[in-house]
Amino acid sequence: MRGLEYHGILRADGPIVIAAHRENVGFSELARVRDRTGELRLGRIVDISEQAIAVQLFSENTGISIDESWIEYLEKPLTFRVGDGIVGRIFNGLGDPIDGYPPITSSDLRDINGRPINPSARVYPRDFIQTGISAIDGMNTLIRGQKLPIFSGNGLPHNRLAAQIVRQARVLSGESQFAIVFAGMGIKYDVARFFIDSFEKSGVLSRVVMFLSLADSPSIERLVTPRTALTAAEYLAYEKNMHVLVVMTDMTNYCEALREVSAARNEVPSRKGYPGYLYSDLASLYERAGKIENCEGSITQLPILSMPNDDISHPIPDLTGYITEGQIVLERDLSQRGIYPPIAGLPSLSRLMKDGIGEGMTREDHRDLAAQLFSAYAYVRSVRDLAAIIGEEELSDRDKIYLNFGDRFEREFLAQGEFENRSIEQTLDLGWKMLSILPEAELVRIPPKLIEKYLPRTGNGDPAKE
Amino acid sequence: MSAGYITRISGPVIYAQGMDDAGLYDVVKVGKAGLIGEIIKLKGDVATIQIYEDNTLMRVGEPVECMHRPLSVALGPGLIGSIYDGIQRPLPVLKNVSGAFLAPGLAGEPLDTSKKWHFVPLLKAGDPIAPGTAFGIIQETASIQHRLVFDASVPASTADWIAPEGDYTCTATLVKSREGKEYTAVSWWPVRAARKFTEKQITHEPLVTGLRVIDVLFPIAKGGSAAIPGGFGTGKTMTQHAIAKWCDADIIVYIGCGERGNEMTEVLTEFPSLIDPRTGRSLMERTILIANTSNMPVAAREVSIYTGITIAEYYRDMGYQVAVMADSTSRWAEALRELSGRLEEMPAEEGFPAYLPTRLAEFYERGGMVKTLEGKKGSVTIIGAVSPPGGDFSEPVTQHTKRFIRCFWALDRDLANARHYPAISWNDSYSEYTEDLIQYWDSIDPAWDALRTKTMDILKKERKLSEIVRLVGPDALPDEQRLILLTADMIKNGFLQQSSFDTVDMYCAPPKQTFLLTCILTFHELAENAIKNGAPLLKISALPIKEKIIRLKSTLENNKVQEGQAVIQEIQQAFTQLGVGAQGGLSI
């Protein structure tokens, strides 16, 4: 009962505390455990039977004892207090302000688990977001309402890329109210600081809602952080009609926390010890992106995850890729060659690109141009493999041209400055310039009339050869 | 009604006591909110129940009410064009009740009870009724005639009264039997039981999908079953969408099982504006959607597959050719795994329950071409997407699925990376229906079998050769072998690869399919001759006709294949101008 503490627990096992059954305790509700020093810990009820109640704590469990513990049931699920005042504030994972300013004054409490969007109430996302980054705009276009994760590895510049996207992202058709929700899960203080500084420099800090559960916070708190953040995002998008960009980093830490709790609950593990419901659990986060009917706002998600050992088939990136609408993959090899952003040409993908580009949205040639660039770059990869064995000299003339194309594509098209903001026209024209390296007969993915119109030519009418 | 109460809650699985008269797989209403659940295990008077909705705040001690009937779907006019969740709740109706977000405990009539349908009786008073007797017809959409047929649960009797022709709602009594039983246009059928038919039949008719790589290289028969396995981003959903749009089935049941919400929205926004090339009507007029997306309750995901296939069987029983797209069966298997884990069952491979193969077999066996109870021919074709973790086909769901399907369309990561769609690998895919379908293709083009054999042969040779090329480079090969590489390239770019955005290319009719191959292979044959007579490959590959053939897929319209025949002559001319032996055409 609320306001009443029950004395004693039955068992403490990792983050799970088992207490005797009480009346009027509901599944998934909050409970508060007080230990002998008076410290309070929040937890969520994960199993109830007629004999016992299992509570999963969101914090450290040191000092919990069987006799000297008191448990209170709060009769409500974990909630986040929403209101106009949340924009510009910093919260911890549970939604308590940690920036030293007073708590939010609002009586509007939201269940952080949210509710699934009715598929028939969704609006299919189509609005092109210009990030000013050629590799994204030209090849893996970001769409408003999309969930597009960045698959990275330790030591790769995913944070700089995310900051650049936040800084430069804009929609071509007019400006509108926007907000940024940032969820930091198990990240180091300097990473959080980097984002705060970068938001400040680009003048958007007053539009940011931050949720920080740093590396020294209890790992279980990471399980709640993205949910609290998405609750704030849903409030801003669907009630305040804002366009919200949600940056969540690092999803790998979130999944580790999930595995930790699952192991503590003795669940049957599936791949690499992760619980069998990892897919459903991740989906309950990622699927909170989108647009709904009769509402101006939208939620665009940019989750960042570091692939353990750069392995894209690891369960975390793998399951993420199955849920999200594409992925931006960072490649160590490109990064080591000094190319920023090191966005891998081939494994990166934007599923919503096909409906957000083309005439009236970006430009009529966008789709065919991108398809041709992908196909040519894929061929470059096989030529490089061949060159590694027989040597560049032995390559046929056609293959040599492709090799040249590949190098220039990476150095001129993919690579750009961290503060360089290219318009979509610049990006597409640059793409054509790259294609002009190839013989015209190779451009089979593009209709002749577009080649006629856009392929840059030198004075004598031949494609520019370099 | 038995009144039980909850004794334990563990996620979507709850335990209830006092359920002694409940039956296995009976539907229950759980708790004060009345959430829908299903009994999956009984032990003494304790029932284990899986709940189809979010049960946050549910308490021990709350009541559980058994409905004493298995989970069933409502079958009747009005299904077409609908979108349901996994337990057949109409999503647009729920939207009107609770807004854009789904709240637990919602209910809605699966079929619109206020809409009136025009009923034409097929029986008169005194006629016998039995399972398989058709008693009336309702024009459901412009192209779908809804035959009302008594299902296998109806006892044999005599019609005492039958409603005259007129407009009725689907709750109005249309037939009364001698025993006083009343029948409406709506019947209920338990989803986990296959609907009855007279006999299964072997089929010699293809499901024409309009996708060249499928229809020519790996064709599927009506009533067949196929799996599309592929890692993320290889285009499973895109391929399923393309088949759902253009295949020559009468009705499409699209099951979005544990996948993205936006994909369902895409179907909902795109299909109504697309025109079915066969009926000239909107594609939505033949489509039924079951959407249980990945963030909707996991137990309802498990059952969504059965809801979909039961609806498909219902239309099959009217004599229609139905195609079921299940996207994705892996998510369904994962739902099984999750529930099995909650039940603390002994896991088999990778945590999946030991009964996974049995369930998969039961599902795929519900497809097939049948003689219905009424004596008509109807079919259910099942096309299931499989999402193997890490794109590794050796995992349990892919492996077990392979045992129960006869068509395997493996999606290839490298093709997808090069944006070669559909990314169906010609090396790993297979179809066991090819032999059965030769007869059909003979009527389109007698050379079909020879064309596909030759194509497969070239692709196979190319695979071998490219291994050599990878080691020593293409220059080391003689011209005849480099021609194989050239032709294989033409086959890939000019035939296998198909754009779903190009209005001409997105659907390819069978005559055009064989024609495109004929052009490419004619080119190949003439080039082979020319090389034998000393023409250098360099000259051949520089022929402008080559590019023209590759572009033919998007320049030649489906109904203008006859006019395209001139291209064959152009090819011959091009080789004549080369000056070396251009006699004859394609010898196969």
Side-chain angles (χ1 to χ4, degrees):
Chain A
M1 215 171 133
R2 206 158 177 185
L4 194 72
E5 283 186 333
Y6 295 97
H7 186 186
I9 57 170
L10 299 175
R11 213 169 97 194
D13 184 358
I16 307 284
V17 167
I18 314 270
H21 178 74
R22 306 286 166 192
E23 289 293 313
N24 289 331
V25 173
F27 179 69
S28 203
E29 280 179 9
L30 278 188
R32 190 150 56 196
V33 181
R34 185 162 64 90
D35 71 5
R36 58 193 171 197
T37 63
E39 198 186 322
L40 293 172
R41 291 178 179 83
L42 270 187
R44 190 176 73 95
I45 293 165
V46 291
D47 201 321
I48 12 179
S49 70
E50 282 183 309
Q51 292 77 39
I53 296 173
V55 180
Q56 170 194 315
L57 297 179
F58 293 125
S59 48
E60 267 319 306
N61 45 6
T62 320
I64 300 253
S65 72
I66 301 290
D67 280 343
E68 285 188 83
S69 288
W70 291 264
I71 185 161
E72 180 190 359
Y73 299 103
L74 302 180
E75 294 184 9
K76 58 163 193 182
L78 192 55
T79 49
F80 177 64
R81 203 176 283 278
V82 294
D84 285 331
I86 60 171
V87 180
R89 300 291 304 272
I90 304 177
F91 303 88
N92 69 7
L94 298 171
D96 301 319
I98 50 169
D99 51 4
Y101 296 104
I104 304 295
T105 49
S106 156
S107 56
D108 208 352
L109 288 168
R110 296 293 161 87
D111 179 352
I112 62 154
N113 291 310
R115 297 210 178 285
I117 300 179
N118 185 329
S120 71
R122 278 184 187 269
V123 175
Y124 193 67
R126 287 177 185 277
D127 299 331
F128 162 70
I129 299 180
Q130 180 176 299
T131 64
I133 298 165
S134 294
I136 297 179
D137 292 353
M139 313 277 286
N140 306 288
T141 317
L142 179 65
I143 303 290
R144 200 178 247 175
Q146 184 173 20
K147 36 194 182 287
L148 190 65
I150 299 176
F151 286 9
S152 185
N154 299 322
L156 293 177
H158 43 265
N159 293 331
R160 281 159 61 200
L161 178 63
Q164 187 176 5
I165 295 174
V166 169
R167 195 162 52 231
Q168 298 180 173
R170 73 185 184 88
V171 175
L172 291 183
S173 53
E175 282 307 306
S176 44
Q177 272 217 307
F178 74 99
I180 293 152
V181 171
F182 181 89
M185 293 154 282
I187 52 171
K188 294 184 69 65
Y189 174 76
D190 19 344
V191 174
R193 196 68 239 171
F194 166 81
F195 276 102
I196 295 175
D197 286 348
S198 117
F199 293 150
E200 199 165 11
K201 269 185 212 144
S202 45
V204 293
L205 194 58
S206 60
R207 319 258 357 126
V208 180
V209 194
M210 284 202 125
F211 295 86
L212 295 178
S213 170
L214 298 182
D216 56 353
S217 311
S219 67
I220 315 297
E221 195 184 299
R222 290 167 205 161
L223 293 182
V224 225
T225 312
R227 295 192 161 80
T228 321
L230 287 163
T231 306
E234 279 173 357
Y235 168 76
L236 295 173
Y238 303 138
E239 282 169 53
K240 297 288 155 191
N241 288 320
M242 291 187 185
H243 293 291
V244 185
L245 181 65
V246 184
V247 179
M248 302 195 281
T249 181
D250 176 327
M251 291 308 292
T252 304
N253 295 338
Y254 171 84
C255 297
E256 300 291 342
L258 200 66
R259 175 163 69 177
E260 201 177 317
V261 172
S262 168
R265 291 175 64 182
N266 298 322
E267 289 170 337
V268 178
S270 93
R271 283 171 73 213
K272 298 213 167 165
Y274 291 95
Y277 51 81
L278 180 60
Y279 176 85
S280 303
D281 191 277
L282 284 173
S284 72
L285 301 178
Y286 296 139
E287 279 290 321
R288 288 172 83 171
K291 282 182 68 149
I292 58 175
E293 282 176 6
N294 307 320
C295 176
E296 273 297 298
S298 64
I299 296 181
T300 310
Q301 282 186 12
L302 206 62
I304 299 171
L305 62 88
S306 44
M307 298 182 279
N309 204 19
D310 290 355
D311 176 13
I312 197 169
S313 65
H314 183 279
I316 300 172
D318 191 50
L319 294 178
T320 297
Y322 273 122
I323 305 164
T324 53
E325 283 138 355
Q327 64 277 338
I328 290 176
V329 184
L330 302 191
E331 197 177 86
R332 198 167 294 280
D333 178 52
L334 283 176
S335 182
Q336 283 166 348
R337 277 156 48 203
I339 290 170
Y340 171 88
I343 295 177
L346 301 180
S348 300
L349 168 77
S350 165
R351 291 169 190 268
L352 298 185
M353 174 175 178
K354 59 187 170 53
D355 296 303
I357 60 171
E359 205 165 357
M361 291 173 283
T362 54
R363 210 168 75 181
E364 52 170 344
D365 56 324
H366 193 162
R367 182 176 297 137
D368 296 314
L369 175 71
Q372 185 68 61
L373 285 171
F374 270 119
S375 136
Y377 191 56
Y379 186 69
V380 169
R381 286 300 169 108
S382 65
V383 173
R384 281 189 184 159
D385 290 346
L386 180 61
I389 295 167
I390 63 170
E392 276 184 36
E393 290 310 306
E394 297 296 313
L395 292 177
S396 67
D397 288 344
R398 174 173 178 259
D399 288 358
K400 279 180 189 155
I401 294 175
Y402 266 99
L403 215 51
N404 178 30
F405 163 80
D407 288 339
R408 290 197 47 192
F409 176 75
E410 286 168 358
R411 277 186 288 110
E412 295 173 37
F413 186 88
L414 290 186
Q416 70 184 81
E418 205 177 330
F419 291 88
E420 185 183 351
N421 191 350
R422 293 182 188 156
S423 74
I424 183 67
E425 284 78 20
Q426 284 174 327
T427 293
L428 295 177
D429 290 344
L430 194 57
W432 280 105
K433 190 178 161 202
M434 296 297 111
L435 285 185
S436 71
I437 299 167
L438 301 174
E440 202 177 315
E442 294 287 318
L443 310 182
V444 290
R445 299 277 179 100
I446 308 181
K449 65 174 198 295
L450 289 178
I451 296 181
E452 191 62 38
K453 187 166 169 190
Y454 291 103
L455 191 70
R457 288 160 200 275
T458 50
N460 57 10
D462 278 316
K465 290 265 164 35
E466 281 159 272
Chain B
M1 295 282 168
S2 60
Y5 60 95
I6 302 174
T7 56
R8 186 180 163 198
I9 307 168
S10 170
V13 172
I14 67 147
Y15 298 81
Q17 201 146 28
M19 306 291 292
D20 28 15
D21 63 347
L24 207 54
Y25 291 110
D26 275 358
V27 174
V28 286
K29 282 196 172 167
V30 184
K32 289 175 189 147
L35 306 186
I36 304 286
E38 194 181 22
I39 297 178
I40 47 177
K41 208 193 249 178
L42 283 168
K43 191 179 175 189
D45 67 342
V46 177
T48 309
I49 296 163
Q50 62 182 24
I51 303 187
Y52 294 127
E53 298 175 74
D54 177 37
N55 57 345
T56 300
L57 302 191
M58 184 173 275
R59 291 169 182 190
V60 166
E62 284 190 38
V64 178
E65 186 192 335
C66 180
M67 310 302 286
H68 295 285
R69 59 170 174 84
L71 189 71
S72 305
V73 285
L75 302 165
L79 286 168
I80 305 255
S82 299
I83 171 165
Y84 296 110
D85 76 350
I87 49 173
Q88 214 203 8
R89 287 182 302 184
L91 289 170
V93 175
L94 301 191
K95 182 171 71 182
N96 295 338
V97 181
S98 75
F101 296 89
L102 291 167
L106 292 174
E109 286 294 330
L111 295 169
D112 186 349
T113 48
S114 60
K115 180 164 179 172
K116 287 201 165 178
W117 300 95
H118 189 75
F119 169 76
V120 180
L122 290 178
L123 289 182
K124 51 187 190 303
D127 283 349
I129 56 179
T133 310
F135 64 92
I137 286 178
I138 284 171
Q139 195 72 37
E140 188 172 358
T141 70
S143 50
I144 302 293
Q145 229 181 31
H146 196 110
R147 276 181 91 78
L148 300 167
V149 183
F150 289 116
D151 65 37
S153 69
V154 172
S157 174
T158 313
D160 220 21
W161 174 84
I162 183 141
E165 182 173 346
D167 295 340
Y168 300 90
T169 63
C170 57
T171 48
T173 301
L174 298 174
V175 181
K176 281 182 198 158
S177 75
R178 196 175 47 201
E179 289 79 17
K181 277 190 81 133
E182 299 185 355
Y183 299 97
T184 66
V186 180
S187 56
W188 292 79
W189 190 266
V191 294
R192 292 185 195 275
R195 280 173 69 89
K196 303 279 183 288
F197 48 83
T198 310
E199 62 177 14
K200 278 220 171 164
Q201 294 181 332
I202 299 297
T203 140
H204 298 286
E205 214 182 307
L207 182 82
V208 176
T209 63
L211 294 178
R212 290 183 291 265
V213 58
I214 291 179
D215 289 349
V216 173
L217 295 188
F218 312 106
I220 182 169
K222 286 207 174 81
S225 46
I228 312 182
F232 65 81
T234 49
K236 289 180 298 297
T237 305
M238 289 283 282
T239 311
Q240 293 248 21
H241 278 195
I243 298 173
K245 279 178 201 165
W246 307 121
C247 78
D248 66 345
D250 300 314
I251 292 181
I252 304 287
V253 179
Y254 197 105
I255 311 169
C257 171
E259 288 286 312
R260 303 175 186 87
N262 276 337
E263 284 170 0
M264 296 325 283
T265 315
E266 188 183 353
V267 175
L268 276 178
T269 45
E270 196 181 4
F271 276 35
S273 61
L274 292 172
I275 300 299
D276 184 345
R278 280 161 219 92
T279 59
R281 308 287 306 179
S282 151
L283 278 179
M284 207 59 207
E285 286 184 21
R286 66 163 196 180
T287 310
I288 300 163
L289 290 174
I290 312 287
N292 212 94
T293 56
S294 54
N295 55 339
M296 285 158 76
V298 68
R301 187 198 302 170
E302 191 263 328
V303 85
S304 63
I305 288 268
Y306 299 108
T307 302
I309 194 109
T310 309
I311 293 175
E313 286 174 337
Y314 176 65
Y315 280 96
R316 173 201 71 190
D317 290 349
M318 295 176 208
Y320 284 115
Q321 317 299 327
V322 188
V324 175
M325 311 288 144
D327 185 14
S328 143
T329 57
S330 293
R331 303 299 162 224
W332 168 74
E334 278 166 20
L336 273 185
R337 173 168 72 186
E338 192 172 332
L339 294 165
S340 160
R342 302 266 185 198
L343 293 173
E344 289 155 17
E345 292 172 337
M346 180 70 82
E349 294 158 275
E350 295 198 16
F352 286 106
Y355 47 78
L356 172 71
T358 321
R359 295 285 174 87
L360 276 170
E362 282 167 3
F363 171 66
Y364 282 106
E365 264 318 282
R366 288 179 76 169
M369 175 74 84
V370 304
K371 192 171 147 200
T372 68
L373 291 178
E374 197 194 351
K376 289 185 171 294
K377 242 174 102 175
S379 70
V380 172
T381 311
I382 303 179
I383 297 169
V386 184
S387 320
D392 171 14
F393 291 172
S394 66
E395 58 93 38
V397 181
T398 317
Q399 282 309 311
H400 290 307
T401 301
K402 263 183 140 170
R403 292 163 49 201
F404 311 119
I405 46 114
R406 294 182 64 202
C407 230
F408 190 72
W409 299 325
L411 298 183
D412 186 85
R413 164 79 53 200
D414 290 333
L415 290 177
N417 280 350
R419 302 309 190 254
H420 173 116
Y421 292 122
I424 295 174
S425 157
W426 43 89
N427 295 324
D428 304 328
S429 305
Y430 61 79
S431 164
E432 295 174 16
Y433 295 107
T434 320
E435 294 297 311
D436 303 342
L437 302 175
I438 287 183
Q439 211 182 341
Y440 165 88
W441 279 96
D442 270 353
S443 68
I444 303 280
D445 187 341
W448 178 71
D449 195 36
L451 286 172
R452 70 178 295 281
T453 315
K454 180 82 186 161
T455 308
M456 286 302 271
D457 183 52
I458 290 175
L459 290 171
K460 204 186 286 163
K461 278 185 184 148
E462 186 250 7
R463 190 177 162 202
K464 280 253 160 67
L465 290 174
S466 57
E467 276 165 22
I468 301 172
V469 168
R470 227 171 284 147
L471 291 176
V472 296
D475 287 340
L477 297 179
D479 272 2
E480 297 93 74
Q481 293 189 337
R482 291 180 65 185
L483 174 68
I484 300 269
L485 298 181
L486 179 81
T487 311
D489 239 30
M490 287 174 72
I491 294 175
K492 287 182 212 166
N493 285 319
F495 184 78
L496 298 175
Q497 202 237 340
Q498 194 167 353
S499 163
S500 54
F501 303 109
D502 187 311
T503 43
V504 178
D505 197 25
M506 54 168 67
Y507 169 76
C508 190
K512 180 176 159 189
Q513 301 191 358
T514 51
F515 177 70
L516 290 181
L517 263 194
T518 310
C519 287
I520 295 172
L521 295 180
T522 306
F523 180 92
H524 177 77
E525 194 124 317
L526 291 173
E528 244 178 357
N529 263 332
I531 287 171
K532 269 191 204 125
N533 293 332
L537 181 75
L538 223 57
K539 261 189 164 172
I540 295 170
S541 67
L543 287 174
I545 188 74
K546 187 190 100 183
E547 206 184 321
K548 182 163 182 179
I549 297 174
I550 293 176
R551 289 193 189 276
L552 215 49
K553 59 178 185 178
S554 50
T555 52
L556 182 68
E557 283 176 41
N558 281 315
N559 51 5
K560 302 216 171 102
V561 173
Q562 281 308 317
E563 294 165 35
Q565 298 294 343
V567 179
I568 302 276
Q569 279 151 26
E570 272 182 65
I571 300 172
Q572 283 162 346
Q573 268 163 21
F575 278 94
T576 319
Q577 279 157 14
L578 262 183
V580 270
Q583 298 84 20
L586 193 54
S587 61
I588 52 176

